[in-house]
Amino acid sequence: MRILLILLVIFVISCSRKSSNEFKVKSGEITESVYASGVVKSVGQYTVFSTVNGILKKTKVVVGQQINEGQLLFELDADKAKLNEENSKLVYQLSKESNRYVQDKIAEMELKVQSAKDKLNLDESIYKRNLRIKEYQVISEIDFERVELGYKSSKIAYESAKRQLNQLKAQLNNEQIRNANNLKISQKSLSDFEIKSAFSGRLFDILVKDGSFITTQTPLAIVGEMNSFFLELEVDENDMVRVGIGQKVLVNLDSYKNQVFEATVDKIYPIMNERSRTFKIEAHFIKNPPKLYPNLTAEANIIIQTKANTITIPKRLLLPGDSVLLDGDKKRKVTLGLSDYQKVEVTAGLKVGEIIYQAE
């Protein structure tokens, strides 16, 4: 009796174990997808940096504040820049005041040019007249050469006077432009110590404190639109060739457990990050979750294709060499198609209703 009872228990356990390891082949739907991960970002989100180094004197805004384009965010200590700007302004004003003296020099030089021109006209007239009478040997060769030399000297003197006048004018003009440019540079340098917003939006975070030493590499704040968000995702290089614009994306957010949100791929960056070996893509939610914040973690599956009414089996039942286990430990070769994280499509080798087993 005891032996019969033991055999019965062994039979029941064996049947139960066999039943738990068997799977009845059936028809269903399978979706092929590509995994991606990333974060939620605000549209227009950017990090504020300074273009100059200095001590942060005053923060003019608070976290969460709505700001406008061009609004003052931070003020750096600019005492040295103010002195440079004042010095440039003084030099520029002095150059303008000295303009009268330079103009007098130009007027004097213009008279010199006119005098040289008058002398050249006179010497040219004398030269031409003596050139005509030379044919009649009325003037000696020495006297003619003296006249000719006087004409050439007058011509050189006139050209030299014109060059000096042009150089003087160019010098004055260049000096005025240089002083004006130096003043503009000083004023621009001074304005660089006032850090303003490049766009309108919401101030999400302030990353520095008053009194800190700021460099051009120091992130100061994060600004973006409050109610407009998108997904910035990274896709492995091995999967990137299958990703395209307009594909559907199923998104999971850590802040919304057990919920799936739909999005669409709308931008692909056509260059690979050499460090992570990934490509960056952007996707927009078809319908935004109730609340979103920048930098929320996201995991996504980009839908490549979906098949309905196809034979699928759990991946755990697939044996090495693409085969399955039948009753009696018989193996059968199958042909595979699409696959996801749990299932694989069987395109040949199995029929609906057949029973396969998991190898122990």
Side-chain angles (χ1 to χ4, degrees):
M1 183 67 179
R2 182 178 296 177
I3 295 175
L4 290 175
L5 182 58
I6 293 173
L7 291 175
L8 179 61
V9 171
I10 293 174
F11 175 76
V12 170
I13 293 174
S14 176
C15 290
S16 176
R17 186 178 299 167
K18 185 175 181 180
S19 176
S20 64
N21 290 339
E22 70 179 27
F23 176 79
K24 186 176 182 179
V25 178
K26 55 188 176 181
S27 177
E29 182 180 276
I30 187 169
T31 299
E32 183 182 22
S33 62
V34 166
Y35 175 79
S37 63
V39 294
V40 174
K41 281 200 170 184
S42 168
V43 173
Q45 179 178 330
Y46 76 100
T47 303
V48 180
F49 287 90
S50 172
T51 58
V52 295
N53 300 334
I55 303 296
L56 178 56
K57 186 176 181 180
K58 183 71 175 177
T59 300
K60 297 290 188 177
V61 286
V62 295
V63 173
Q65 178 179 340
Q66 184 70 29
I67 58 176
N68 298 316
E69 181 180 346
Q71 182 174 340
L72 180 62
L73 304 179
F74 302 96
E75 188 178 280
L76 303 185
D77 186 358
D79 291 344
K80 185 177 179 180
K82 287 179 181 178
L83 291 174
N84 289 335
E85 192 261 350
E86 289 176 3
N87 288 338
S88 297
K89 188 180 293 184
L90 286 174
V91 172
Y92 179 68
Q93 290 174 347
L94 286 173
S95 67
K96 290 182 66 176
E97 291 173 2
S98 64
N99 186 48
R100 181 181 300 177
Y101 169 74
V102 177
Q103 290 296 339
D104 290 342
K105 288 189 67 176
I106 289 176
E108 181 182 342
M109 195 65 212
E110 287 176 340
L111 289 175
K112 185 178 178 180
V113 170
Q114 185 60 46
S115 176
K117 184 178 181 181
D118 292 341
K119 188 174 185 310
L120 172 62
N121 291 336
L122 177 62
D123 289 345
E124 183 180 14
S125 176
I126 294 173
Y127 169 74
K128 289 180 178 179
R129 184 168 59 252
N130 282 275
L131 185 62
R132 288 194 298 269
I133 65 177
K134 181 186 176 185
E135 298 176 0
Y136 302 100
Q137 297 181 349
V138 177
I139 185 173
S140 66
E141 189 69 30
I142 294 177
D143 289 338
F144 178 77
E145 288 178 354
R146 186 181 296 113
V147 170
E148 185 179 30
L149 180 61
Y151 166 61
K152 289 180 179 179
S153 297
S154 296
K155 191 173 183 180
I156 292 172
Y158 173 61
E159 295 296 332
S160 176
K162 283 200 304 181
R163 282 196 302 272
Q164 290 178 24
L165 176 60
N166 290 333
Q167 289 174 354
L168 188 61
K169 287 181 177 180
Q171 180 182 353
L172 172 62
N173 184 57
N174 291 340
E175 186 175 350
Q176 289 289 334
I177 292 174
R178 182 172 60 253
N179 292 331
N181 288 340
N182 288 337
L183 178 58
K184 289 179 181 178
I185 291 171
S186 298
Q187 291 171 338
K188 176 63 173 62
S189 298
L190 182 61
S191 69
D192 286 341
F193 286 82
E194 293 184 340
I195 302 169
K196 300 178 181 180
S197 176
F199 306 100
S200 298
R202 183 66 57 88
L203 184 66
F204 289 119
D205 198 6
I206 295 175
L207 308 173
V208 289
K209 294 182 179 180
D210 291 353
S212 303
F213 180 73
I214 303 302
T215 72
T216 56
Q217 302 298 318
T218 306
L220 305 180
I222 298 175
V223 178
E225 294 185 21
M226 186 59 189
N227 298 315
S228 186
F229 296 89
F230 68 97
L231 290 159
E232 185 177 277
L233 304 171
E234 291 185 349
V235 178
D236 188 89
E237 63 173 318
N238 296 318
D239 298 322
M240 193 60 213
V241 293
R242 297 189 291 168
V243 177
I245 300 295
Q247 288 176 332
K248 185 178 180 181
V249 185
L250 302 181
V251 184
N252 295 99
L253 301 172
D254 287 347
S255 299
Y256 291 91
K257 300 294 185 183
N258 301 320
Q259 294 188 52
V260 178
F261 301 96
E262 294 185 358
T264 303
V265 176
D266 54 16
K267 188 174 184 179
I268 296 175
Y269 290 81
I271 186 170
M272 185 181 70
N273 184 317
E274 293 184 0
R275 288 187 176 181
S276 62
R277 312 300 297 180
T278 59
F279 285 81
K280 183 168 69 174
I281 69 169
E282 291 181 7
H284 279 76
F285 288 103
I286 294 175
K287 183 180 180 181
N288 280 348
K291 286 186 179 180
L292 282 176
Y293 299 94
N295 299 335
L296 289 179
T297 302
E299 291 187 329
N301 288 300
I302 304 169
I303 306 303
I304 305 302
Q305 59 178 315
T306 300
K307 273 188 178 182
N309 301 320
T310 185
I311 294 176
T312 62
I313 62 172
K315 277 188 173 181
R316 59 184 174 82
L317 300 181
L318 191 63
L319 301 177
D322 295 344
S323 60
V324 293
L325 187 63
L326 303 176
D327 193 15
D329 292 337
K330 295 179 180 180
K331 292 183 180 180
R332 182 189 294 174
K333 182 77 173 179
V334 293
T335 303
L336 305 180
L338 302 183
S339 67
D340 60 20
Y341 294 103
Q342 295 181 333
K343 298 178 296 183
V344 62
E345 177 192 13
V346 177
T347 58
L350 282 178
K351 296 181 181 180
V352 174
E354 288 189 287
I355 305 297
I356 59 175
Y357 299 89
Q358 182 174 351
E360 295 183 357

